[in-house]
Amino acid sequence: MPTRTEIICDIDQFKCNDGTCIPGKLACDGVPHCKNSSDSEDESNCLVIVVVVVVVVVVVVVVAVVVVVVVEVVVIVKVIPVLVQN
Ligand SMILES: [Ca+2]
């Protein structure tokens, strides 16, 4: 039984469907780099990556804003009355 050699790309590389490894920075740069590909897979699914990054950034910002608002409300409700009484 013949054995298939699995091509393993480095962690900073993108693996094309034909097994070719290209530098990761060439993926999603708007230029097809996978040679034997009709659908230039190094340029597909890029929108999904962008959307995921945007969603993560939005979630982080929203959480940060909520934390700041909660801290400010706690200061206003708990700390200021104590300072005013003293
Ligand atoms: Ca590319």
Side-chain angles (χ1 to χ4, degrees):
M1 184 174 169
T3 58
R4 256 182 61 194
T5 303
E6 180 75 18
I7 298 173
I8 300 174
C9 299
D10 289 339
I11 194 166
D12 61 342
Q13 291 182 315
F14 178 86
K15 185 177 180 181
C16 300
N17 287 337
D18 66 353
T20 306
C21 298
I22 63 172
K25 64 182 180 184
L26 296 182
C28 297
D29 66 347
V31 179
H33 289 95
C34 291
K35 296 174 182 172
N36 298 323
S37 173
S38 59
D39 59 352
S40 62
E41 68 266 21
D42 67 306
E43 296 303 322
S44 60
N45 298 324
C46 294
L47 184 60
V48 173
I49 295 171
V50 171
V51 169
V52 168
V53 170
V54 168
V55 167
V56 168
V57 168
V58 168
V59 167
V60 168
V61 168
V62 167
V63 168
V65 168
V66 167
V67 167
V68 168
V69 168
V70 167
V71 168
E72 287 183 357
V73 167
V74 167
V75 168
I76 290 170
V77 171
K78 300 282 184 182
V79 176
I80 290 181
V82 172
L83 291 176
V84 169
Q85 286 180 354
N86 296 333

